[in-house]
Amino acid sequence: MKTRRFAVVVSALTALTLAAACSSGTNARSGSDGADGKTLTLASVDQGSIEDVIKAFEAANPGVKVNFTTSGADQYQAQIRTQLASGTAPDVMTVWPGNGNPGATYVLAKPGYLLDLSDQPWAAKLPEAFKTVAQYEGKTYNAVFGLNGIGAVYNDEALARSGLKAPTTWTELLAFCRDAKGKGTPAYALGIQDNWVTQLVLYALAATVVFGPDRDFNTKLASGQATFAGSAWTQAMARYQEMEKAGCFQKNPLGTSYEASQTLAATGKTLGIVQGNWIISLLKQKNPNGTFTMTALPATDDPATFLMPAAAGAGYGVNAKAKNRDLALKFVTYVMSPAGMKLFNEKQGSLPTLPGAGTTVDPGLKELTTFVEGNRTVPFMDQLWPNAKVQQSMLSGLQEVFSNQATGDEVLKDMDTEYQKGE
């Protein structure tokens, strides 16, 4: 296989230490040096949904100003830990649940970059499944406000215009792709120029192919009884490539950015996109009159076996060295309040993690809601992997698969190698 692109990220993850501040609790250092008490700095990947939350927070707190930046996940993950180590990180930042990437809870909490939020009133209310990935060594570091899923999201108008129906089995899916391509409108937009996007189709397939017959696969993987390369992950990987060969995606996915893929799906230049439910709000920004419907991505010919990836989405952590700690905690408390959570979830198109938020769920998410309520979901696969390198190996490896520089089996073997290194 060719040069691993995650080498730069891995390099940035080494040799960083931090003075211990993570275990002192949120009340230990209020009023840090440099605080003005009125300006909050925030870095978020929630493009399109964070803006209204910020406006509402500022309106509820006269005189307070939030200086925020948004960026794509790849750029953000490459920068945030360096910023934390150098003392230039914002007060509040996006943090992913679990341990799957360089901006995840375990990765940032372990060296002490995040403030312990265990004493915040919302922390004890998190359902157990969310606590597991929002905590590190029993302490809560991540305010996870939304539940997200991954599936096929269709542009309803474009689908109706094509005369095709959304596929309900794997066989139908391949025929759907061929028919859509024949009509000149590819089935699904795929923007894997941003390498985090590469995982989504694979996760959507693996949910059914891997975890359908074995819901305990992750436990077996952790105990050494299973491997990626020796399991049904090979089938999921093969089906991803089979979709590519069937013409499921537009030309040149590697040259298509996440942003460009949104435009393709929103404007009907593809019939849909395989993404997280958060994409619906972004598609509506580009096509305000459009309606979009999410379904499970067929991975077998038995719909009764379908599972969807669904788990806590990215939340917010507080910098252990936040210059405006009290204001940072106030912001996170607002995000986790019924008002903040309702605003965030409805804008982002996610489901609330706490009861009583009063969120109105987008009608396009009816099937996802049904799967969640029916316990037909599996966590995002990377959240329970032992280190961020496993995911990075997968992301860069998938880009190499699409550029014919690697095989699916080679990528899975590399993932095994990184997994077996442990934490």
Side-chain angles (χ1 to χ4, degrees), residues 78 82 128 158 183 199 203 325 392:
T82 300
E128 195 60 35
K183 290 175 177 289
Q199 66 194 308
Y203 284 0
R325 178 169 300 181
Q392 292 300 319

Side-chain angles (χ1 to χ4, degrees), residues 274-302:
V274 180
Q275 260 287 349
N277 51 285
W278 54 81
I279 196 77
I280 291 180
S281 64
L282 300 175
L283 297 179
K284 287 183 175 178
Q285 288 178 32
K286 295 179 181 298
N287 180 2
N289 295 323
T291 60
F292 304 91
T293 301
M294 184 178 204
T295 71
L297 184 69
T300 71
D301 282 342
D302 183 4

Side-chain angles (χ1 to χ4, degrees), residues 77-203:
Q77 291 173 12
Q79 292 176 346
I80 191 63
R81 184 159 170 157
T82 300
Q83 292 177 342
L84 285 163
S86 63
T88 60
D91 299 319
V92 179
M93 70 208 80
T94 288
V95 177
W96 281 267
N99 197 24
N101 67 59
T105 304
Y106 301 177
V107 176
L108 298 183
K110 185 177 181 179
Y113 290 132
L114 299 180
L115 194 66
D116 178 6
L117 303 176
S118 302
D119 60 357
Q120 296 301 293
W122 50 266
K125 299 177 183 176
L126 283 174
E128 195 60 35
F130 298 142
K131 282 183 181 177
T132 302
V133 291
Q135 293 182 338
Y136 175 73
E137 294 188 337
K139 297 177 180 177
T140 301
Y141 292 95
N142 194 347
V144 288
F145 60 87
L147 171 68
N148 291 314
I150 298 171
V153 178
Y154 294 98
N155 179 323
D156 296 338
E157 181 183 3
L159 189 61
R161 191 167 56 240
S162 74
L164 301 176
K165 293 184 178 179
T168 59
T169 67
W170 172 247
T171 300
E172 287 182 8
L173 172 67
L174 296 180
F176 174 76
C177 290
R178 295 188 189 101
D179 291 345
K181 182 181 180 182
K183 290 175 177 289
T185 306
Y188 306 109
L190 183 63
I192 57 174
Q193 186 180 84
D194 292 285
N195 80 343
W196 72 270
V197 177
T198 61
Q199 66 194 308
L200 300 179
V201 173
L202 183 59
Y203 284 0

Side-chain angles (χ1 to χ4, degrees), residues 37 46 71 107 121 135 194 239 257 269 307 341 387 390 395:
D46 293 311
S71 58
V107 176
Q135 293 182 338
D194 292 285
R239 294 193 175 195
S257 68
K269 291 181 179 177
L307 299 177
M341 191 170 289
N387 62 66
V390 184
L395 298 179

Side-chain angles (χ1 to χ4, degrees), residues 170 173-174 198-213 217 227-245 249 274 297-300 307 309 378 381 385 394 398 401-402 407-409 411-412 415:
W170 172 247
L173 172 67
L174 296 180
T198 61
Q199 66 194 308
L200 300 179
V201 173
L202 183 59
Y203 284 0
L205 294 168
T208 296
V209 173
V210 178
F211 295 90
F217 178 81
T227 62
F228 294 110
S231 70
W233 274 92
T234 58
Q235 298 173 31
M237 183 70 80
R239 294 193 175 195
Y240 195 173
Q241 296 171 74
E242 197 171 349
M243 288 181 67
E244 165 70 356
K245 292 176 182 175
F249 311 118
V274 180
L297 184 69
T300 71
L307 299 177
V378 294
M381 290 69 183
W385 292 344
M394 176 186 64
L398 284 170
V401 168
F402 271 80
T407 67
D409 287 346
V411 175
L412 293 173
M415 290 169 64

Side-chain angles (χ1 to χ4, degrees), residues 39-54:
T39 304
L40 179 72
T41 54
L42 168 69
S44 171
V45 298
D46 293 311
Q47 300 176 43
S49 51
I50 183 68
E51 293 84 352
D52 285 357
V53 177
I54 290 171

